[in-house]
Amino acid sequence: MTALNRLLTKVAERHPDKVAVADDEHELTYAALFAAAEHTAARLCERRLGGGPVLLALAPGTAWVTALLGAWHAGVPAVPIDVTHPHERLRQIAAACEATGILTPTGTAPGWAGDLTALAPATTPLPPGTGRPGLCADEEATACIWHTSGSTGAPKPVLVPHRAVAARAAALPKWAGLTFRDRVAQLTALTFDAVLWEVLAALTVGARLQIAAPRDRAPGPALPRFLATHKITAFTGTPTYLAAAPLTELPHLRRIVLGGEALHPGPLKLWISRYDVANAYGPTEACVDAIVHRRVSPGEDPVPIGFPLPGVRAWVLDDDQQPVAAGVAGELYLGGAGLATGYLDKSGETAKAFLLLRLPGPDGARRPERVYRTGDVVRQRPQDGRFVFLGRADDQLNLGGVRLEPAEVEQAATQMPGVRAAAVLTDRGTSGRPRLVLHVETDDTDLPERLRGQLADRLPPAAVPALITARPALPRTSTGKIDRRALAAEPEPTRPEKGTAASELGLPEAVASWWQEQTGAPAADARDLFASGGDSLGALLLLQQINETYGTEIPLDAFYADPTTRFLNTALTPGSTP
C-alpha cells in the first residue's frame, strides 16, 4: 500500500473505538470509518472504476470523508466538487479531468453528469466472505484532482499524487502540535485543497474531525458559535474569514492555522494575542502547506510565511532563474516530495510551471531539481532566514484565499451577447476588502444588471464580479491591447439612480442598517448590493444576519442572482419563495 494509506491505516488500528469523524447527523469511529472506506473501495473496483477519476458529488459530511478514503484505498483519483456550483461549471470539470464515475448520496447520477457511472459510498463494512480490494501501492498514482482557475477560461486540473499527500501528512502532526485529544473543525469548502489539512490533521493522530453544517460555515458569528458548541481545539481558514468573526471566549481552542492569502495582522491582533496562530503558505501545486510560520507574534508586521516544512525545498530566483541574496525580492520556486504531477492534458502549461533546473542544495552543490514556479514574489529575511510574501509576479488574483485567473472571468463575459471586450481588475470597496471589478465594452448600459446573473450561472461564486461597469470603449494601448493601468485610473462611470426607496418597499429598519454597513451606502434605492459598494463577503454577512434574526433561509445563490433590496423585501414577505 502507499505510504499515505499505510499511515492512516496504522492510526485507525491504534484508535479503533474513538470517534474519527462526525457531522450533525452521524458519527463514525475509526474502525467504522475505515471499514466503510474499504467497502467503498471494493464497490469502485467492482464497477471497474479503478483507473478513471471519480467525482465526489457529496455535501460536507461523514459520507464525503468515507468516499475520499475509499478512493484512496482503490487507487482512484478523487475529484472533489461543489454540488451547489453552476451545472455548466460542473460539466466543464467532469470533462477537464476525464471523469469516469461519480459518487452521490443515492448512487444516482444528476442530470448534468451525462453518462458517468454513479454509485453511493458505503456506510457499512464489507459483507462476510467478500474479497477485499488490494490497497493502492503506486506512490505516483493520483490521489486528488483539484481544479484551479484557468487562464484559458476553463478549470485547470491539478494532479496531486499519493506521494505528495503522504509527505504533508507525515510532517503535519509535528509542526501543528496536534494529538489524539484534539477536535479539528472541517470548515473549508470541499473544492479547496485546504480540506486536506483538516482531514489529515485529524486522521493522522487519531483526533476527531467535526464537520460543520452549512449554517455554521458562513463568516461572522456562526464560526465562534460552532467552535464553542463542539469544543473545537484546532481549525484552519483564511485571514478574511477569521476577521469576519467576533472575538469570543473559546476555552478549548488553542491552534488556528491561517493561509490562502496574505496575513495582515491589524484586524486579527486580538486573535493572535489570545491563541496559537500559524501562518501557512502552499499553492495547490505544492499540496496544501509548503512553508509555515508556526507562531505569529502580536507585533509582527509584515507577518512572514516562515520556513519550508521537512521535505520541502525552496529557492528565491531572479528573472534569469538564478538565486538572489537574502533580503532581495525574487520569485519563489518550490521542490521536494510534495509537488503535483502537473496539469491533466495540459502539457504546455505543465512545462511552463514545472521546470527542471540546476539549483544549489543545502551543501551548496548544484543538482538538477524538479521545481514548481509559484508566480509569487518573496524575500528571505537576512536576520533569521524566514520567507516573507510580497505579492504576485503575474496577473493572477487572490480574493479571500481563492486564486482566480482574470482571463476565466473575461472569457465568460465576452461570450455574452453585446459584450465586445472585457477586463477584470481589483479594487477595495467601501468595506476596505478587495473586490473583483469587471469592465465591459458595450453599448447596452443596462447590461451589467443582466450580466451578473448570467455569470453566476457559469462561474463559482468567488469569481462573480462584485462590480460590473459598462463603457462604450475600453482604453487601449498603442498595440491595441486593453490598457489596464489607464482603466484602473479612470473614475467609475456614474449610473442614473433608479429603484424604489427602501422605506416604500417596507424593508425592516435593521436590514436597511445592515445593508449600509456592508456597502457604505444607504439602502435608499433598489440598486444591487455590489453596485452600491458591497462584495461577496458582505453579501454572506448580510444574509447571515437576516437569516438568524428573522428565521429565514434565503439562499445565497438566489441573492447573488438578484442582490437588491427589492429581492430581500420579497424574501422577507411571509409566504414568498426567494
Side-chain angles (χ1 to χ4, degrees), residues 313-351:
R313 294 186 287 278
W315 298 266
V316 185
L317 307 182
D318 61 18
D319 290 343
D320 296 321
Q321 295 177 334
Q322 297 300 311
V324 302
V328 176
E331 188 171 348
L332 178 63
Y333 290 69
L334 296 173
L339 292 192
T341 307
Y343 306 113
L344 179 63
D345 288 342
K346 294 182 181 291
S347 57
E349 292 190 49
T350 298

Side-chain angles (χ1 to χ4, degrees), residues 7 16 24 44 46 87 128 157 236 360-361 383 468 527 537:
L7 170 63
D24 273 4
L44 289 169
E46 181 183 314
H87 291 176
T236 187
Q383 66 269 34
I468 303 176
R527 289 193 304 156
L537 180 56

Side-chain angles (χ1 to χ4, degrees), residues 96-408:
C97 71
E98 301 174 357
T100 59
I102 183 169
L103 284 162
T104 68
T106 61
T108 303
W112 57 263
D115 57 358
L116 294 181
T117 300
L119 66 158
T123 58
T124 59
L126 282 167
T130 304
R132 298 183 180 277
L135 291 182
C136 174
D138 183 2
E139 297 291 348
E140 295 303 319
T142 300
C144 295
I145 301 179
W146 304 101
H147 286 80
T148 62
S149 182
S151 59
T152 62
K156 188 164 58 177
V158 182
L159 304 174
V160 178
H162 279 253
R163 156 187 53 78
V165 183
R168 295 296 173 263
L172 197 156
K174 186 175 181 180
W175 76 256
L178 302 178
T179 74
F180 67 91
R181 296 183 180 89
D182 279 293
R183 287 174 168 241
V184 180
Q186 198 288 293
L187 295 161
T188 303
L190 302 182
T191 52
F192 297 154
D193 64 334
V195 71
L196 284 185
W197 187 96
E198 298 166 329
V199 172
L200 297 175
L203 301 189
T204 55
V205 296
R208 177 189 182 110
L209 180 67
Q210 185 68 46
I211 301 173
R215 65 178 180 277
D216 297 322
R217 293 171 178 264
L223 174 61
R225 185 170 57 244
F226 170 78
L227 299 176
T229 299
H230 295 283
K231 301 179 181 179
I232 298 299
T233 62
F235 75 93
T236 187
T238 65
T240 299
Y241 182 68
L242 183 59
L247 186 67
T248 306
E249 188 64 36
L250 299 166
H252 300 281
L253 181 65
R254 58 187 190 83
R255 172 55 104 180
I256 302 173
V257 177
L258 299 178
E261 60 181 340
L263 172 54
H264 301 293
L268 300 172
K269 281 185 176 179
L270 292 177
W271 287 95
I272 292 170
S273 63
R274 185 172 297 185
Y275 301 104
D276 191 356
V277 177
N279 189 27
Y281 167 88
T284 302
E285 291 84 350
C287 195
V288 194
D289 297 325
I291 299 175
V292 174
H293 183 43
R294 301 187 187 189
R295 184 68 171 89
V296 178
S297 300
E300 285 184 304
D301 193 5
V303 177
I305 56 175
F307 295 115
L309 291 175
V312 176
R313 294 186 287 278
W315 298 266
V316 185
L317 307 182
D318 61 18
D319 290 343
D320 296 321
Q321 295 177 334
Q322 297 300 311
V324 302
V328 176
E331 188 171 348
L332 178 63
Y333 290 69
L334 296 173
L339 292 192
T341 307
Y343 306 113
L344 179 63
D345 288 342
K346 294 182 181 291
S347 57
E349 292 190 49
T350 298
K352 290 179 182 178
F354 295 88
L355 310 173
L356 189 64
L357 302 178
R358 291 188 66 83
L359 295 170
D363 60 358
R366 288 184 176 250
R367 301 179 180 85
E369 292 275 358
R370 181 176 182 267
V371 296
Y372 170 63
R373 183 176 189 174
T374 67
D376 290 324
V377 178
V378 302
R379 64 178 176 86
Q380 201 167 9
R381 295 199 310 204
Q383 66 269 34
D384 58 15
R386 286 184 170 88
F387 290 92
V388 178
F389 176 80
L390 301 177
R392 289 291 301 174
D394 55 23
D395 292 334
Q396 193 178 78
L397 306 175
N398 187 316
L399 294 178
V402 181
R403 291 165 56 194
L404 295 172
E405 293 281 357
E408 179 173 10

Side-chain angles (χ1 to χ4, degrees), residues 421-434:
V424 167
L425 302 174
T426 58
D427 70 3
R428 291 184 179 270
T430 54
S431 67
R433 296 186 292 262

Side-chain angles (χ1 to χ4, degrees), residues 41 43-54 71 74-77 100 136:
R43 287 184 177 180
L44 289 169
C45 295
E46 181 183 314
R47 299 294 292 273
R48 298 183 180 178
L49 297 177
V54 173
V76 174
T100 59
C136 174

